[in-house]
Amino acid sequence: MSNRFVIWFEDYMPEHRPRVGGKNAGLGEMIKADLPVPPGFAVTTDGFETIRNHPEAIEAIRALLAKVDFDDPSGIRGISKDIRTRIEALPMDAEVEEAIRSAYAELCRRCNQEDVPVAVRSSATAEDLPDASFAGQQDTFLWVRGGASVVEHVQRCWSSLFTGRAMSYRHAMDHDHEVVSMSVVVQQMVDPKSAGVAFTLDPATGDRSQVAIESSWGLGEAVVSGEVTPDNFLVDKVILEIHSRTISPKHTELVMASDGSGVQWREVGEDRQGSPSVTDPELLEITRMAKAVERYFGAPQDIEWAVDRHLPEGRNVVMLQSRPETVWSRRAPRQVSQPASGFMDSIVTTLLSPIHTRGATTADDGEE
């Protein structure tokens, strides 16, 4: 059921990567590795490229880009807003809209749920460039429901190629604004009891015999955005033994909004604030899956995971994203016994794009 504008995760092939970007490619690869991944599809860059069928709009955007003073943050924000407004106001190509609506309807059928909630995430082709890390420059929207809303948020992901942060970073890295393109992830939402990140090495030392796990209650975006102080664990890859654990006070969690659309912050009850957000069996399952992901990709990985509150114990850990680890992988190897610089707080580096809630936004640089 894949076509020019939509590629289902399970249909992903390596030759699709330039048209689906890094996030979608990672999801497709994890499915091929037989890992539990919530279902979904990629809206390919072919959809984004139809924007260039509006020559007047493109000329206006070029004129705005030509006026950017990258030493003026306020001016960048203003031009970003103007560009994004123009892109979001363009009528979406009818074939692209129909492909998205049809794929979403099929996803609802597969999930046996009317208006299944989805995450709509950017998957820019620039995220794959070897000399730069563009991940986290564009936007993510959570708990989106309904075909019309999915179409709207795909177009908002397209426009997020021109956040102030993304434009400034491309300028700093000397990348052409018109070379990068945008694919979009549309994936069934998980309703997590807890979620977080896992690194298939110890980020404080580079020790590859360990899996480092950070976890908190609710959605994992709370961890990767730094809004909460997560629990921290180190698990030995070989003997699957938990070597260290730090349980942090967790006062807030990011959860589904009360009206079922979007997300909201909620206070954590006192009984859970000082409790581990994952059980030992869940930690070991996360470790096993992290090892499998690293083995499949052949390099240390930086992984998003969640514990789905609706799945039975033993089958409730799911994988949401994986990308190559970029801190230690770019360093020359050294003995693990040498002193480490100790930067546990640096293990999360632009994992996800900003989180958008209904009626509010935490977009980079305050756009929209």
Side-chain angles (χ1 to χ4, degrees):
M1 296 184 63
S2 296
N3 55 52
R4 176 187 170 195
F5 298 117
V6 166
I7 295 175
W8 289 85
F9 296 158
E10 65 269 22
D11 293 337
Y12 169 78
M13 300 294 288
E15 57 266 30
H16 294 146
R17 189 181 185 97
R19 296 172 54 224
V20 301
K23 287 191 183 76
N24 281 311
L27 291 164
E29 293 284 5
M30 283 196 291
I31 286 178
K32 290 186 183 304
D34 202 27
L35 290 161
V37 173
F41 57 89
V43 181
T44 69
T45 56
D46 298 83
F48 177 82
E49 294 301 319
T50 61
I51 290 175
R52 295 194 165 96
N53 294 334
H54 301 270
E56 290 184 7
I58 293 304
E59 288 304 315
I61 291 170
R62 285 173 179 157
L64 287 166
L65 287 170
K67 295 194 305 183
V68 177
D69 177 358
F70 287 99
D71 294 321
D72 177 12
S74 177
I76 294 172
R77 286 195 293 270
I79 289 175
S80 168
K81 184 175 181 179
D82 287 346
I83 291 174
R84 298 192 67 174
T85 299
R86 287 178 180 273
I87 291 174
E88 291 169 22
L90 291 173
M92 185 179 286
D93 178 273
E95 281 189 77
V96 178
E97 180 171 352
E98 174 57 28
I100 294 170
R101 285 179 176 270
S102 295
Y104 176 72
E106 173 61 21
L107 182 61
C108 291
R109 285 191 288 272
R110 293 184 183 192
C111 297
N112 196 28
Q113 184 177 356
E114 186 177 355
D115 288 345
V116 64
V118 293
V120 182
R121 292 176 167 174
S122 63
S123 184
T125 57
E127 293 174 7
D128 292 336
L129 295 175
D131 59 340
S133 178
F134 287 87
Q137 309 294 342
Q138 289 86 34
D139 289 350
T140 284
F141 303 91
L142 303 175
W143 240 280
V144 177
R145 292 177 182 267
S149 186
V150 171
V151 167
E152 173 194 344
H153 285 88
V154 166
Q155 195 145 350
R156 291 179 70 182
C157 273
W158 289 350
S159 81
S160 75
L161 199 59
F162 295 94
T163 63
R165 178 187 286 186
M167 290 193 300
S168 297
Y169 194 64
R170 285 197 295 271
H171 174 74
M173 300 301 297
D174 197 26
H175 288 289
D176 191 333
H177 297 294
E178 297 192 35
V179 170
V180 296
S181 191
M182 175 72 77
S183 174
V184 178
V185 179
V186 179
Q187 183 179 31
Q188 181 192 20
M189 278 295 308
V190 172
D191 185 10
K193 169 186 74 96
S194 57
V197 295
F199 286 71
T200 60
L201 48 68
D202 180 350
T205 65
D207 182 359
R208 291 186 60 176
S209 71
Q210 307 291 315
V211 172
I213 297 170
E214 289 199 340
S215 170
S216 192
W217 299 116
L219 289 159
E221 280 77 5
V223 175
V224 301
S225 66
E227 293 289 338
V228 300
T229 301
D231 298 333
N232 291 281
F233 307 90
L234 274 180
V235 185
D236 188 286
K237 282 182 185 175
V238 179
I239 61 176
L240 294 180
E241 180 177 286
I242 301 168
H243 277 182
S244 69
R245 62 179 83 221
T246 303
I247 308 304
S248 304
K250 300 170 290 294
H251 300 288
T252 58
E253 61 182 337
L254 192 62
V255 297
M256 178 180 66
S258 55
D259 65 358
S261 179
V263 294
Q264 66 183 27
W265 288 100
R266 181 175 69 187
E267 187 174 340
V268 174
E270 290 186 9
D271 59 322
R272 291 192 298 141
Q273 288 181 10
S275 300
S277 49
V278 282
T279 66
D280 285 5
E282 288 163 356
L283 281 171
L284 298 182
E285 185 61 19
I286 293 164
T287 301
R288 291 186 190 98
M289 289 188 185
K291 288 173 59 179
V293 173
E294 181 181 56
R295 186 164 54 248
Y296 181 84
F297 285 107
Q301 295 293 300
D302 171 349
I303 298 162
E304 267 192 85
W305 55 267
V307 179
D308 191 326
R309 69 174 77 247
H310 301 297
L311 292 177
E313 190 172 342
R315 294 194 292 114
N316 55 351
V317 176
V318 296
M319 299 285 101
L320 301 178
Q321 189 178 144
S322 184
R323 63 167 55 88
E325 187 276 337
T326 58
V327 177
W328 285 95
S329 299
R330 294 177 179 176
R331 298 186 179 192
R334 65 171 175 80
Q335 294 296 323
V336 173
S337 59
Q338 289 179 338
S341 57
F343 54 93
M344 196 64 186
D345 60 342
S346 72
I347 70 170
V348 177
T349 54
T350 61
L351 280 177
L352 284 178
S353 47
I355 307 157
H356 290 247
T357 62
R358 203 173 167 198
T361 177
T362 58
D364 296 333
D365 304 324
E367 291 93 343
E368 299 185 341

